[in-house]
């Protein structure tokens, strides 16, 4: 994902869904590889947030709706 698009996704998560920067940072570190999260599949960050209980299923649906409209 391009840096500008990734920044928009992060802004949406924080401003519209009130997901804390700490929660996002945890999800970004998951996976253990050195590839930045923004370069991975854009769907992986929301899934990691959900798998770790950092977003609800309703919030996950909103994230995927936003991603489908944004891209």
């Amino acid at each position: 994902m391009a840096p500008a698009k990734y920044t928009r996704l992060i802004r949406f998560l924080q401003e519209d869904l009130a997901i804390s920067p700490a929660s996002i940072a945890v999800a970004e570190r998951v996976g253990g590889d050195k590839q930045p999260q923004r370069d991975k599949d854009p769907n992986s960050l929301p899934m990691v947030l959900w798998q770790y209980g950092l977003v609800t299923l309703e919030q996950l649906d909103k994230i995927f709706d936003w991603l489908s409209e944004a891209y």
Side-chain angles (χ1 to χ4, degrees):
M1 181 182 297
K5 291 179 182 178
Y6 186 76
T7 300
R8 288 179 40 215
L9 172 61
I10 298 302
R11 187 175 304 128
F12 169 76
L13 294 174
Q14 292 177 337
E15 294 176 3
D16 292 19
L17 298 182
I19 299 170
S20 73
S23 293
I24 294 169
V26 166
E28 289 177 328
R29 285 192 300 269
V30 171
D33 61 15
K34 298 192 190 278
Q35 183 181 17
Q37 182 68 41
R38 70 176 174 272
D39 295 338
K40 298 177 186 176
D41 176 12
N43 296 327
S44 65
L45 180 63
M47 288 304 298
V48 171
L49 287 166
W50 177 71
Q51 287 173 336
Y52 280 77
L54 302 171
V55 298
T56 65
L57 193 54
E58 181 181 326
Q59 287 173 312
L60 184 64
D61 285 339
K62 289 179 182 180
I63 295 167
F64 284 131
D65 287 345
W66 185 89
L67 283 170
S68 69
E69 291 176 12
Y71 307 104

